[in-house]
Amino acid sequence: MLKIENLHVYYGGIHALRGISLDVPDKKIISLIGANGAGKSTTLKAIMGLVNRAEGSISFDEKNITNMQTKDIVGTGIVLCPEGRRVFPDLTIAENLTLGAYLRKDKEQIKKDRQWVHELFP
């Protein structure tokens, strides 16, 4: 499903990722663990196209996404949810939920999902 081959990322003169390769099979969950500064966030940002990749390739569902724009990567179903950064602190809960469903076309299911979320978190 997701395949990364020989991925290299630099931040200026710092070689942050040095040839990482990774396979995530369909219907499997994996963990990316490591010490601070090991490249976990950089790997995720590279998958999303948020940092420039100097070398290597990334494919999803056998489609090369290496040079796709972030908005197009999101369209494939890959997303990155930053934790604890209050990315949209001024949006209401309803606005955040609407933003989360931005690419979805199934309006009736969105309505049901919103009701479900409100039942989970009244």
Side-chain angles (χ1 to χ4, degrees):
M1 172 179 244
L2 178 68
K3 184 173 188 138
I4 300 170
E5 294 180 318
N6 195 33
L7 185 63
H8 291 260
V9 173
Y10 291 84
Y11 292 117
I14 299 170
H15 197 170
L17 289 183
R18 299 174 183 259
I20 185 173
S21 295
L22 172 67
D23 281 309
V24 180
D26 193 23
K27 298 182 182 176
K28 297 291 180 184
I29 297 173
I30 66 147
S31 276
L32 186 58
I33 58 174
N36 289 345
K40 302 175 301 292
S41 295
T42 298
T43 299
L44 298 174
K45 289 176 185 176
I47 292 168
M48 292 303 303
L50 296 170
V51 295
N52 292 327
R53 297 161 297 269
E55 203 176 314
S57 66
I58 304 168
S59 59
F60 180 68
D61 280 343
E62 299 184 19
K63 179 179 180 180
N64 189 327
I65 64 168
T66 307
N67 296 311
M68 288 175 68
Q69 293 184 8
T70 301
K71 67 180 182 67
D72 298 323
I73 293 170
V74 169
T76 70
I78 301 173
V79 295
L80 174 61
C81 299
E83 178 267 326
R85 298 287 195 266
R86 297 189 48 85
V87 178
F88 303 111
D90 297 326
L91 296 184
T92 66
I93 292 169
E95 291 167 334
N96 269 282
L97 291 172
T98 299
L99 185 60
Y102 178 75
L103 290 177
R104 291 178 54 183
K105 306 291 184 219
D106 52 340
K107 302 299 180 195
E108 283 304 311
Q109 187 61 46
I110 292 171
K111 189 183 232 181
K112 290 177 185 176
D113 289 346
R114 286 179 84 108
Q115 290 171 341
W116 177 70
V117 168
H118 285 290
E119 288 172 14
L120 284 173
F121 305 101

